[in-house]
């Protein structure tokens, strides 16, 4: 079990699991709880933070140093105290193909989190973000159900349109085609296919989007196209092209900036209403 904190009254990062009907197995995740959570009596905003291809629920805590970054942002008042949920998704790409990961997220993970933890159970208390495969997943979740999320952040998102690079793991993980990569499946699941239904809902989901300028998969080009789509649709967004490749140095150094953007319009922690 992953468990770390900075002291008796400090924030904590712990391992947890839930029984998932959609996955027909126990599902592990890591959770960040802010300083004072146990005794505050407050409901907190929640960020669902997704890892990349082949990663796990500990990536953001161990490689992304999310606890230190979040502690510092809260201490400086740049974001409110918050809960962060980091689910394990392996190489599923957060879609209902290899496993029913998309359905599990909405039908199992979110209800379980809102039952177990004191979260703000409204749109203005929920955020979604991720890196690479997780950026792909976070964008799909935000477009599919904008009524659930106040904002999103996509760090080097693997949102290739229309062609997936030959070197991308999307061609090899058995998600977009059981034996060989099928471009028709990729196209059906990629974000442009969700665009019109998203816009028809007439909801805004502010998005922070970035990429390294030397990304291994030329994602800087992909995020620029997405940003142009968002701007043309009058959707609020911020684009950052930073120095780096497709690497943790990019994601660890920019998640704080992404969080500051996402939390600008999120509800602050509120006292639990008496029953």
């Amino acid at each position: 079990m992953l468990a770390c904190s900075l002291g008796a009254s400090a924030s904590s990062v712990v391992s947890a699991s839930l029984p998932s009907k959609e996955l027909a197995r126990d599902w592990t995740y890591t959770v960040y709880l802010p300083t004072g959570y146990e005794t505050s009596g407050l409901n907190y905003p929640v960020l669902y933070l997704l890892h990349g291809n082949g990663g796990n629920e500990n990536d953001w805590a161990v490689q992304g140093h999310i606890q230190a970054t979040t502690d510092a942002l809260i201490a400086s008042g740049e974001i409110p105290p918050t809960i962060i949920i980091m689910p394990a998704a392996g190489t599923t790409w957060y879609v209902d193909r290899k496993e029913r990961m998309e359905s599990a997220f909405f039908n199992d993970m979110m209800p379980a989190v809102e039952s177990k933890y004191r979260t703000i159970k409204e749109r203005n208390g929920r955020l979604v973000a991720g890196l690479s495969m997780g950026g792909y997943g976070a964008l799909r979740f935000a477009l599919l159900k904008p009524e659930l999320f106040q904002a999103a952040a996509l760090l080097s998102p693997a949102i290739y349109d229309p062609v997936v690079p030959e070197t991308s793991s999307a061609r090899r993980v058995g998600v977009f085609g059981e034996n060989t990569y099928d471009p028709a499946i990729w196209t059906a699941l990629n974000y442009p296919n969700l665009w019109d239904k998203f816009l028809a809902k007439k909801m805004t989901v502010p998005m922070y989007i970035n990429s390294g300028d030397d990304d291994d998969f030329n994602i800087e080009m992909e995020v620029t196209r997405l940003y142009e789509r968002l701007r043309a649709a009058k959707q609020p967004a911020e684009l950052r092209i930073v120095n780096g490749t497709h690497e943790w140095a990019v994601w660890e150094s920019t998640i704080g900036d992404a969080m500051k953007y996402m939390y600008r319009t999120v509800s602050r922690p509120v006292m639990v209403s008496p029953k």
Side-chain angles (χ1 to χ4, degrees):
M1 172 180 288
L2 177 72
C4 55
S5 68
L6 302 179
S9 62
S11 67
S12 61
V13 174
V14 298
S15 297
S17 66
L18 61 92
S20 170
K21 291 183 179 180
E22 296 285 359
L23 301 178
R25 60 175 174 82
D26 285 346
W27 188 9
T28 57
Y29 63 97
T30 294
V31 56
Y32 167 95
L33 296 173
T35 300
Y37 173 83
E38 296 297 337
T39 58
S40 71
L42 297 172
N43 284 352
Y44 295 87
V46 58
L47 165 62
Y48 294 91
L49 186 57
L50 312 181
H51 66 72
N53 183 76
N56 62 51
E57 69 274 25
N58 297 325
D59 280 4
W60 273 109
V62 176
Q63 299 186 76
H65 303 106
I66 195 65
Q67 183 177 20
T69 296
T70 306
D71 285 348
L73 290 173
I74 293 171
S76 66
E78 293 175 283
I79 69 168
T82 188
I83 294 169
I84 303 175
I85 303 295
M86 295 161 272
T91 59
T92 63
W93 285 70
Y94 303 95
V95 296
D96 285 352
R97 293 280 303 171
K98 201 172 190 177
E99 285 190 288
R100 293 180 56 78
M101 190 57 67
E102 176 188 301
S103 294
F105 179 83
F106 290 115
N107 299 335
D108 297 332
M109 177 64 68
M110 290 184 66
V113 165
E114 295 190 352
S115 174
K116 183 173 183 177
Y117 303 102
R118 296 195 315 275
T119 67
I120 297 171
K121 300 172 179 62
E122 298 173 356
R123 181 181 190 252
N124 66 6
R126 298 191 200 97
L127 303 165
V128 63
L131 68 89
S132 193
M133 178 189 86
Y136 171 94
L139 177 57
R140 289 192 81 257
F141 289 172
L143 296 182
L144 279 167
K145 296 184 181 291
E147 63 274 13
L148 295 182
F149 303 106
Q150 184 70 17
L154 321 173
L155 309 185
S156 307
I159 52 171
Y160 316 115
D161 177 40
V163 179
V164 174
E166 292 292 336
T167 55
S168 171
S169 59
R171 289 181 175 267
R172 303 185 300 276
V173 293
V175 174
F176 305 101
E178 286 75 9
N179 298 312
T180 59
Y181 165 74
D182 185 341
I185 296 174
W186 173 265
T187 299
L189 291 171
N190 202 16
Y191 80 92
N193 204 39
L194 306 173
W195 195 253
D196 290 344
K197 287 184 178 179
F198 165 68
L199 294 182
K201 293 185 177 182
K202 299 186 183 301
M203 303 186 75
T204 59
V205 181
M207 294 189 190
Y208 177 100
I209 313 160
N210 78 8
S211 172
D213 58 353
D214 294 309
D215 189 274
D216 305 65
F217 308 102
N218 293 322
I219 289 176
E220 64 270 30
M221 309 300 292
E222 303 292 348
V223 297
T224 300
R225 282 193 288 269
L226 172 61
Y227 179 69
E228 290 172 348
R229 278 179 178 258
L230 290 164
R231 290 292 302 275
K234 300 189 184 307
Q235 286 283 327
E238 291 288 332
L239 174 65
R240 299 285 185 271
I241 305 299
V242 302
N243 185 52
T245 61
H246 201 76
E247 59 183 335
W248 273 103
V250 168
W251 309 320
E252 179 192 1
S253 65
T254 59
I255 185 60
D257 194 40
M259 291 173 75
K260 286 188 284 186
Y261 178 82
M262 286 191 292
Y263 281 89
R264 292 186 306 178
T265 59
V266 165
S267 175
R268 268 41 190 168
V270 295
M271 188 61 64
V272 178
S273 301
K275 295 182 179 179

